[in-house]
């Protein structure tokens, strides 16, 4: 359960760093970015990454 607290605290910290004039859309976007960073960090920790060469190969196939 400490991870949920950590995620909550990170969200609160991110919101507090926004200007007082931030609207709901900006707040939601900041939380969306924060969550995607968290997921990326977790994937990296779990070894779920691709090499730069694999990414370039995937992009070239588009």
């Amino acid at each position: 359960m400490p991870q949920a607290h950590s995620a909550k605290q990170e969200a609160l910290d991110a919101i507090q760093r926004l200007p007082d004039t931030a609207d709901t859309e900006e707040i939601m976007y900041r939380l969306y970015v924060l969550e995607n960073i968290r997921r990326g960090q977790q994937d990296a920790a779990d070894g779920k990454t691709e090499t730069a060469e694999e990414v370039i190969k995937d992009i070239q196939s588009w």
Side-chain angles (χ1 to χ4, degrees):
M1 212 179 283
Q3 187 176 9
H5 176 72
S6 177
K8 178 181 176 181
Q9 190 59 53
E10 287 178 13
L12 290 171
D13 292 344
I15 291 169
Q16 287 178 339
R17 286 191 299 269
L18 288 169
D20 290 340
T21 57
D23 61 13
T24 303
E25 185 175 339
E26 190 171 355
I27 293 168
M28 291 181 67
Y29 177 74
R30 183 68 58 102
L31 294 177
Y32 169 80
V33 169
L34 182 66
E35 174 60 12
N36 280 290
I37 290 170
R38 188 199 62 75
R39 286 181 186 184
Q41 290 171 331
Q42 187 63 52
D43 284 349
D46 293 344
K48 298 178 186 176
T49 60
E50 294 185 357
T51 64
E53 292 81 16
E54 291 170 322
V55 172
I56 291 170
K57 184 178 174 184
D58 286 345
I59 290 171
Q60 289 173 342
S61 71
W62 296 349

